[in-house]
C-alpha cells in the first residue's frame, strides 16, 4: 500500500470490533490509534497505557481482521531496547508495521500544548535501526513520524529529520501538523521529492481536498480517530435519550440490531462449529441463483453476469460467498448461465442452467437442489446484505423462512415489484414486542395489498427442502416449471398449507438491478 502508485487509506480502529467494522466497510488497512486505545480505556494519551497493555489490545484486533495493521507506537515506549522488544512482539502477533514519533518519552499528544521537546536525531535514528534489525518478517514496516512542524520548528528541520530517518532505515515518513491548512505539509512534500513514501494525517486540515494529497505524491492518508469520535457521539445520544425517556421505544431503531453484534463477534461460526463437532447433522448449504445477465446494467454486464459486477472492489457474488463462509456454510452451489466462464469465485460449485435465457428461477433451483438434506440457504445473486441476516434466518422456527422488508415500497413508482408479498399480519411495533409468528400468504402479482418486499434471501431445513423439491417435481410434470419464478413456487406451497415463516427486516440490504441500485449499494454493506 505504501509503494503502489495509487493513494492508500487507513481507517482508525481501537478494538477487535472496530477493526472488523473497518474491514466490513471496505478499507484495506487499519491504523491502531494510540489516542483511541487510551481513550477507550479512559486514560490519557501520555503513555499511561503500558506497551504490554497495547499488545493485548492489538492481539484482539489482529485476530478479528485480515487487514494489515499499522500501530501507533508513540515514541517506542522508551529507548532502543524497549522499542526492539516491542517490534519483536508485534511481529509475533502478525502486525504489519509500527509508527514511532521523534518526541521524548513519555509523550504528549501532538495536539496539546506548544513547543513540545523533540528527541535527539541520532538517538531516534538508533531506535529505527534497532527496530529494523529486530523485525522477524521481511515486510514488517517501521514508519518514522516527524514532529518538527508540531513543535513549530519549520519545514527545513522537518526535512533534515526525515532524511536522517530514511537513511537510518525507516520505510516511510509521517509528516504531521496541527495547523488548519495543509500549506506546510504540501511544501514539505514538494521539497521531499518522493524520496520515500509519505503518510499524511489530515485531522486538523480536513478541509483540504484529498486530490491535493494525490497531486503532492502522498502514499497514504490516515483517518486517525474518527471511529472513536463517532462512537462517543452515538453513545452520548443514546444515553441522553434513555435518561430522558426511560424507554427503549425511541432508541431501538437508531442502534445496530442485536443480531449484528453477534455476527460481528463471530457467534455464527461457533454455532456452525458446534453442529460440526457436537452433532451428526448435515452441514449448512447454500444455493445462489445467478444465471442471468442483468440487462439494466448495460455495458457492465457485456462480458460477465450481474453477480460478478464489483461493489467496492469485490463482486456481488464474492461478497455473498464471504458472508456465507463466515456463517459456516460448507457447500455453496451457484447456478450459472450467461457468461458462466466469467463466474470465478473461490469456494463455489457451479451448476449450469443451459436454458437460462428461456427459463426462470424455479428451473435454476430445481437444478441445484439435487443432493443433500441439510439446512439450505437460497439467495438471489444480485443482492447485498449484512451477515447477521443469516443468523436471523437460522433462529426462525419454520421449516421454510423468508426475509421481508416492510419498509421497501412494493409499489414503487406506481408499479408493483415482482417480489411484493402479502403476509398473515403486517409489521408494527407491537409485533416486535410480542414476537408473534408471521407467515407468508402469497407473492402479490395483482392489486392485492402487500405488506413488504421479499429481499431475495430464505432458508429451508431438511423438511422444507424436501417439500420444495416435491413442488418443483410436480411443476415439472405439469409443464409449468420453466415459466415459474421463486415467488410462484413459494405461493403454491403456501396455498397448499405450508406455513412459510416471515422475518421482517428493515434496511441493511439492497439489490442491484440497474446503475442507480449499483450507486446506492454501498449503503447495504
Amino acid at each position: 500500500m505504501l509503494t503502489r502508485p495509487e493513494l492508500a487509506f487507513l481507517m482508525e480502529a481501537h478494538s477487535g470490533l472496530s477493526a472488523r467494522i473497518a474491514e466490513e466497510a471496505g478499507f484495506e488497512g487499519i491504523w491502531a490509534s494510540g489516542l483511541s486505545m487510551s481513550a477507550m480505556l479512559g486514560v490519557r494519551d501520555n503513555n499511561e497505557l503500558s506497551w504490554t497493555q497495547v499488545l493485548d489490545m492489538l492481539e484482539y484486533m489482529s485476530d478479528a481482521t485480515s487487514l494489515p495493521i499499522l500501530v501507533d507506537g508513540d515514541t517506542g515506549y522508551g529507548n532502543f531496547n524497549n522499542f526492539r522488544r516491542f517490534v519483536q512482539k508485534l511481529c509475533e502477533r502478525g502486525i504489519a508495521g509500527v509508527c514511532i514519533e521523534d518526541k521524548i518519552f513519555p509523550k504528549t499528544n501532538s495536539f496539546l500544548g506548544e513547543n513540545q521537546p523533540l528527541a535527539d536525531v541520532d538517538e531516534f535514528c538508533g531506535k529505527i535501526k534497532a527496530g529494523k534489525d529486530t523485525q522477524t518478517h521481511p515486510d514488517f514496516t517501521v514508519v518514522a513520524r516527524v514532529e518538527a512542524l508540531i513543535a513549530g520548528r519549520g519545514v527545513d528541520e522537518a526535512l533534515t529529520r526525515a532524511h536522517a530517518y530514511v537513511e537510518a532505515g525507516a520505510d516511510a515518513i509521517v509528516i504531521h501538523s496541527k495547523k488548519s491548512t495543509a500549506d506546510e505539509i504540501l511544501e514539505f512534500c514538494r521539497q521531499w521529492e518522493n524520496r520515500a513514501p509519505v503518510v499524511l494525517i489530515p485531522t486538523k486540515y480536513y478541509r483540504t481536498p484529498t486530490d491535493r494529497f494525490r497531486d503532492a505524491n502522498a502514499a497514504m492518508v490516515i483517518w486517525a480517530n474518527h471511529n472513536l469520535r463517532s462512537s462517543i457521539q452515538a453513545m452520548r445520544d443514546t444515553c441522553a435519550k434513555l435518561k430522558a425517556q426511560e424507554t427503549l421505544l425511541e432508541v431501538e431503531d437508531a442502534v445496530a440490531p442485536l443480531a449484528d453484534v453477534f455476527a460481528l463477534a463471530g457467534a455464527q461460526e461457533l454455532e456452525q462449529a458446534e453442529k460440526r463437532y457436537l452433532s451428526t447433522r448435515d452441514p449448512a448449504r447454500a444455493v445462489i441463483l445467478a444465471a442471468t445477465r442483468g440487462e439494466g446494467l448495460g455495458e457492465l454486464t457485456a462480458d460477465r453476469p450481474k453477480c460478478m459486477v464489483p461493489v467496492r472492489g469485490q463482486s456481488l457474488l464474492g461478497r455473498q460467498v464471504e458472508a456465507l463462509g463466515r456463517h459456516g456454510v460448507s457447500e455453496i452451489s451457484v447456478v450459472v448461465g450467461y457468461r458462466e466462464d466469467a463466474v470465478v469465485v473461490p469456494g463455489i460449485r457451479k451448476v449450469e442452467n443451459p436454458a437460462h435465457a428461456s427459463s426462470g428461477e424455479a428451473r435454476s433451483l430445481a437444478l441445484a437442489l439435487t443432493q443433500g438434506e441439510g439446512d439450505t440457504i437460497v439467495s438471489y445473486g444480485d443482492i447485498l446484505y449484512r451477515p447477521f441476516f443469516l443468523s436471523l434466518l437460522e433462529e426462525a422456527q419454520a421449516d421454510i423462512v423468508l426475509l421481508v422488508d416492510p419498509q421497501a415500497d412494493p409499489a414503487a413508482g406506481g408499479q408493483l415489484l415482482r417480489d411484493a408479498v402479502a403476509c398473515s399480519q403486517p409489521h408494527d411495533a407491537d409485533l416486535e414486542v410480542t414476537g408473534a409468528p408471521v407467515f407468508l400468504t402469497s407473492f402479490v402479482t395483482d392489486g392485492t395489498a402487500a405488506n413488504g418486499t421479499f429481499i431475495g434471501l430464505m432458508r429451508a431445513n431438511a423438511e422444507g427442502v424436501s417439500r420444495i423439491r416435491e413442488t418443483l417435481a410436480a411443476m415439472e410434470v405439469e409443464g409449468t416449471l420453466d415459466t415459474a419464478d421463486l415467488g410462484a413456487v413459494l405461493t403454491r406451497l403456501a396455498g397448499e398449507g405450508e406455513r412459510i415463516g416471515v422475518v421482517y427486516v428493515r434496511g441493511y440490504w439492497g439489490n442491484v438491478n440497474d446503475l442507480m441500485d449499483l450507486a446506492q449499494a454501498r449503503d447495504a454493506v
Side-chain angles (χ1 to χ4, degrees):
M1 295 174 70
L2 283 168
T3 59
R4 73 186 187 190
E6 299 83 17
L7 185 64
F9 296 90
L10 298 186
M11 184 65 201
E12 171 262 320
H14 49 272
S15 63
L17 178 65
S18 57
R20 188 161 284 170
I21 289 172
E23 181 170 16
E24 183 182 74
F27 282 97
E28 296 179 272
I30 286 171
W31 169 250
S33 162
L35 168 63
S36 297
M37 288 188 285
S38 298
M40 189 186 73
L41 295 183
V43 300
R44 291 174 286 260
D45 185 26
N46 292 75
N47 289 130
E48 293 185 2
L49 280 185
S50 71
W51 66 273
T52 56
Q53 290 172 313
V54 170
L55 279 175
D56 286 342
M57 299 172 76
L58 292 172
E59 185 164 2
Y60 282 107
M61 293 171 64
S62 183
D63 287 347
T65 178
S66 63
L67 299 182
I69 299 173
L70 178 62
V71 177
D72 179 2
D74 293 339
T75 62
Y77 302 99
N79 67 7
F80 78 92
N81 191 47
N82 301 81
F83 181 56
R84 66 179 180 175
R85 279 185 51 77
F86 188 54
V87 167
Q88 178 186 349
K89 297 302 181 183
L90 292 176
C91 289
E92 290 174 0
R93 285 157 177 78
I95 303 299
V98 62
C99 176
I100 54 171
E101 58 194 82
D102 57 352
K103 291 194 301 201
I104 305 298
F105 177 85
K107 59 83 63 82
T108 299
N109 186 279
S110 299
F111 298 141
L112 298 176
E114 302 293 336
N115 301 316
Q116 295 186 15
L118 300 183
D120 175 79
V121 172
D122 290 337
E123 185 271 338
F124 193 73
C125 286
K127 196 179 294 186
I128 293 170
K129 292 175 182 177
K132 294 303 295 179
D133 287 345
T134 304
Q135 68 186 58
T136 57
H137 193 290
D139 291 333
F140 184 84
T141 299
V142 174
V143 179
R145 176 163 142 180
V146 178
E147 294 282 290
L149 301 181
I150 293 290
R153 299 196 187 183
V155 171
D156 287 344
E157 179 158 350
L159 287 163
T160 297
R161 286 176 171 266
H163 281 291
Y165 302 158
V166 169
E167 188 67 28
D171 298 292
I173 294 293
V174 168
I175 182 65
H176 203 23
S177 172
K178 59 182 176 182
K179 291 187 177 180
S180 59
T181 66
D183 294 349
E184 60 184 1
I185 291 289
L186 298 175
E187 178 60 21
F188 173 93
C189 291
R190 186 187 69 79
Q191 295 192 46
W192 180 246
E193 295 181 335
N194 208 28
R195 179 182 176 188
V198 172
V199 182
L200 306 182
I201 307 177
T203 303
K204 289 292 187 178
Y205 49 95
Y206 60 88
R207 293 181 180 87
T208 305
T210 302
D211 278 345
R212 295 199 66 189
F213 306 148
R214 291 188 173 94
D215 293 342
N217 290 319
M220 182 176 285
V221 169
I222 294 174
W223 310 126
N225 45 51
H226 294 78
N227 264 337
L228 171 78
R229 290 160 60 191
S230 62
S231 67
I232 290 172
Q233 186 61 51
M235 287 189 284
R236 279 181 171 154
D237 291 345
T238 300
C239 287
K241 283 184 181 180
L242 289 175
K243 181 66 173 67
Q245 299 171 4
E246 298 182 342
T247 175
L248 293 171
L249 285 176
E250 298 300 320
V251 170
E252 193 63 31
D253 284 349
V255 299
L258 194 57
D260 201 0
V261 179
F262 296 141
L264 285 166
Q268 67 277 9
E269 190 279 332
L270 178 59
E271 293 172 2
Q272 294 299 323
E274 289 173 343
K275 292 174 183 177
R276 178 176 181 181
Y277 299 122
L278 299 179
S279 75
T280 57
R281 290 179 56 186
D282 287 341
R285 297 172 171 82
V287 172
I288 301 175
L289 306 176
T292 60
R293 170 180 175 174
E295 301 293 339
L297 292 169
E299 290 301 311
L300 286 177
T301 55
D303 58 356
R304 60 190 165 191
K306 180 163 53 171
C307 69
M308 293 304 295
V309 170
V311 175
R312 287 181 176 172
Q314 186 176 14
S315 68
L316 292 167
L317 181 59
R319 289 184 176 277
Q320 287 201 32
V321 170
E322 181 179 314
L324 290 163
R326 285 173 54 184
H327 193 71
V329 176
S330 60
E331 181 183 308
I332 301 173
S333 298
V334 179
V335 183
V336 296
Y338 175 76
R339 288 306 304 267
E340 64 86 17
D341 57 302
V343 179
V344 181
V345 175
I348 66 171
R349 178 180 73 95
K350 291 198 282 189
V351 177
E352 187 171 1
N353 179 358
H356 64 90
S358 58
S359 63
E361 295 154 358
R363 169 62 68 186
S364 290
L365 186 60
L367 289 168
L369 288 183
T370 57
Q371 61 183 21
E373 296 291 344
D375 281 9
T376 301
I377 294 164
V378 178
S379 171
Y380 290 164
D382 62 353
I383 64 170
L384 292 167
Y385 54 85
R386 293 284 180 87
F388 74 86
F389 277 20
L390 300 173
S391 296
L392 296 178
L393 286 173
E394 189 161 314
E395 292 164 4
Q397 297 302 309
D399 292 340
I400 303 172
V401 60
L402 317 179
L403 296 187
V404 171
D405 190 338
Q407 293 180 319
D409 185 0
Q415 183 177 5
L416 193 67
L417 298 180
R418 74 180 184 93
D419 289 317
V421 295
C423 304
S424 59
Q425 54 184 315
H427 176 271
D428 58 36
D430 290 339
L431 186 63
E432 292 190 354
V433 173
T434 63
V438 182
F439 299 99
L440 176 73
T441 301
S442 69
F443 277 62
V444 178
T445 57
D446 52 24
T448 306
N451 300 117
T453 301
F454 171 52
I455 76 165
L457 191 62
M458 60 176 280
R459 177 194 61 81
N461 62 16
E463 291 76 13
V465 169
S466 178
R467 286 193 281 277
I468 291 173
R469 280 183 178 144
E470 291 171 1
T471 299
L472 293 171
M475 296 173 75
E476 175 80 273
V477 171
E478 296 164 4
T480 59
L481 184 65
D482 282 338
T483 58
D485 58 15
L486 184 58
V489 177
L490 296 172
T491 296
R492 175 166 175 159
L493 278 163
E496 293 173 350
E498 182 70 31
R499 290 169 68 82
I500 299 175
V502 167
V503 175
Y504 284 122
V505 295
R506 292 175 292 172
Y508 299 107
W509 72 283
N511 60 357
V512 180
N513 288 318
D514 53 36
L515 294 176
M516 180 66 73
D517 290 339
L518 185 62
Q520 297 172 343
R522 60 184 178 84
D523 296 329
V525 295

